[in-house]
Amino acid sequence: MDPMVIAISVLVLASVVAFVIAIGSREKKSRFVEARLQAFRSAENQPKKHGSEPESDAFKHRSYSGIPLLSGVFKRMRGSEATAMMLERSGVPLRVGEFYMIRWGMAFVLFFVPMVFGFSLFNLFFSVVAAAVGYIAPAWWINSKRKSRTKRINGQLVDMIGMVSNSLKSGYGLMQSFEFCGRQLPAPLGLEVRRMLREATLGLTAEDALSAMGRRIDSKDLDMVLTAVNIQRSVGGNLAEILDTVAYTMRERERIRGEISTLTAQQQLTGIVVGGLPVFMFTLFMIINPDYMSILFEEMAGRVVLIGAVVLEIMGYFAMKKIMAIEI
C-alpha cells in the first residue's frame, strides 16, 4: 500500500478527532455546572426500585462524553458503565467517549502499519493482530493503573483508620473525623475522602457518599471499613474500638502478604528468566546472523512457528501469573 495513502488516512482521522473535541469544548459553562450539580442531588424524593442495588445520583447522572448526543449513545451502550467505573478506579481523568476514541484511533493506526511493507495475507493477518493489540492496550494500561492505585490506597488505609479512631476518641463526629483525614492524607486516598465529603455537602447522605467512595475505589480492605461504619450507624456500638480491630486485621493481612511475596520471590524470578530467554535468544540471533533467522519471515512454515511461539509465550505468561496469584 502506498505510504502516502496511509499518511492521508491518519491525517483525516486526526482532523475528525480534532473536530469532535472542538465541538465538545463549545458546550456552555452554565450547562456544565448544572450537569455537575445534578450529579450530587439527593435521591430522597425519587422512588427506589425493590430488589435492585441502590445507586446514588452521582452515578445515575454520569456524563459519558462532552457532547450530549454522544453521551446519550454511550449511555445506551453495553459496558459503558463498567468502563466508566474502571476509569474512576484508575484515577485517569478520561470520559468513556474519550477512552473509546483513543482505543479506536490506536486500532485504526496500527492496522495500517504492517501494510507499509506491502500487501499480503501474512501482512493482513498481522494488521488484524496489531489492530486488536492497539484496541486492547489502553484497557491493559488502565487496568494496571487501577491495580497500582488500589495498592497505594490499601497502604494508606491503616493510617486513615488510625486517624478516624483517634478523632472519635477525642469527641469528634464521624464526618468531622473524615474531614480531618482528608486534610492530612495525601493522594490518592486523601483525594477520595475529600470528594466523599464534597458529595455529602452537596446533598448525598453519609451512607450514600461512603458507598459511592467504596464503588470508586473497589478495595476489599476499604469494604471492611465501610461495612463496620454502616453497621455501627445502624445498630450502635463503639466505632473507635471496631476500627482498631479492623486496623489490626489489615496489618496482619499485610504481614502475611509480605511473607508470601518473600517465599515466592524465587519462583517469580524463575518465571521471568524462563519467559524472557526465548525473546533474548531471538534478538541475539537476529543481530548476529539475520540471514539464518530470515526463514522465520520468508517461509510459511517459519511464519507458523513464529506465530505459535508468540502464542505459547503469552499463554505461559498468563499461566505463571495465575499460579502465583494467592488471595489473602
Side-chain angles (χ1 to χ4, degrees):
M1 183 176 288
D2 191 356
M4 183 61 68
V5 176
I6 299 175
I8 293 174
S9 302
V10 174
L11 182 61
V12 170
L13 176 64
S15 301
V16 172
V17 172
F19 177 73
V20 172
I21 294 175
I23 292 177
S25 64
R26 295 179 61 184
E27 188 175 2
K28 294 182 179 180
K29 185 177 180 180
S30 60
R31 199 170 175 184
F32 171 77
V33 173
E34 178 65 23
R36 292 292 293 172
L37 290 176
Q38 181 67 23
F40 298 106
R41 288 176 183 167
S42 176
E44 293 179 355
N45 297 327
Q46 297 181 4
K48 295 183 178 180
K49 297 180 180 179
H50 296 282
S52 60
E53 183 181 355
E55 187 177 12
S56 66
D57 281 355
F59 298 105
K60 284 182 179 179
H61 299 279
R62 187 193 302 276
S63 176
Y64 295 92
S65 176
I67 304 174
L69 180 61
L70 290 181
S71 181
V73 172
F74 283 114
K75 187 175 183 180
R76 295 179 179 86
M77 284 180 58
R78 195 174 187 181
S80 294
E81 180 62 24
T83 302
M85 289 303 303
M86 182 176 64
L87 293 172
E88 288 268 8
R89 292 165 181 172
S90 64
V92 177
L94 288 176
R95 298 180 183 178
V96 176
E98 298 164 349
F99 178 64
Y100 276 118
M101 189 177 297
I102 292 173
R103 298 183 72 178
W104 293 335
M106 289 188 63
F108 180 82
V109 172
L110 292 180
F111 178 81
F112 289 100
V113 170
M115 295 297 181
V116 175
F117 303 97
F119 181 80
S120 64
L121 291 178
F122 184 71
N123 289 343
L124 180 61
F125 172 77
F126 265 101
S127 295
V128 175
V129 173
V133 171
Y135 185 79
I136 297 174
W140 283 346
W141 179 74
I142 290 294
N143 192 41
S144 66
K145 291 279 291 182
R146 178 187 62 82
K147 291 181 179 179
S148 176
R149 187 170 183 265
T150 303
K151 186 176 180 180
R152 290 170 58 194
I153 289 176
N154 288 335
Q156 295 178 299
L157 278 177
V158 177
D159 294 334
M160 186 196 77
I161 295 174
M163 291 181 186
V164 173
S165 177
N166 292 333
S167 298
L168 292 173
K169 293 174 183 177
S170 300
Y172 285 97
L174 179 62
M175 301 309 289
Q176 290 176 322
S177 302
F178 276 115
E179 184 178 358
F180 173 74
C181 293
R183 292 196 303 265
Q184 298 296 324
L185 289 173
L189 184 56
L191 183 64
E192 290 293 339
V193 172
R194 291 192 293 272
R195 180 174 176 180
M196 180 270 295
L197 293 170
R198 185 168 63 250
E199 291 177 353
T201 304
L202 291 174
L204 287 182
T205 63
E207 290 80 4
D208 288 340
L210 290 171
S211 177
M213 183 177 69
R215 287 191 59 189
R216 286 195 303 268
I217 295 178
D218 190 30
S219 169
K220 294 181 179 179
D221 293 339
L222 181 61
D223 287 342
M224 284 197 304
V225 178
L226 298 182
T227 300
V229 171
N230 290 330
I231 291 175
Q232 189 275 339
R233 290 178 69 89
S234 299
V235 301
N238 190 342
L239 182 57
E241 183 178 349
I242 295 173
L243 291 179
D244 289 338
T245 304
V246 172
Y248 173 77
T249 303
M250 292 173 58
R251 282 193 293 268
E252 286 299 306
R253 290 179 62 185
E254 192 63 30
R255 181 184 62 81
I256 295 174
R257 287 194 188 104
E259 292 181 359
I260 292 176
S261 178
T262 302
L263 295 174
T264 58
Q266 181 178 357
Q267 287 74 17
Q268 292 178 1
L269 181 60
T270 301
I272 293 173
V273 172
V274 172
L277 186 60
V279 179
F280 173 76
M281 295 301 297
F282 176 82
T283 305
L284 182 63
F285 278 111
M286 284 292 296
I287 296 174
I288 296 175
N289 192 354
D291 295 335
Y292 178 75
M293 302 295 292
S294 62
I295 190 174
L296 294 175
F297 302 96
E298 296 176 355
E299 300 292 335
M300 181 57 65
R303 295 173 180 175
V304 172
V305 170
L306 183 61
I307 294 173
V310 172
V311 171
L312 290 176
E313 276 285 314
I314 296 174
M315 291 176 60
Y317 167 77
F318 284 107
M320 290 294 295
K321 187 177 180 180
K322 188 68 175 177
I323 293 172
M324 301 304 298
I326 301 176
E327 293 292 335
I328 304 299

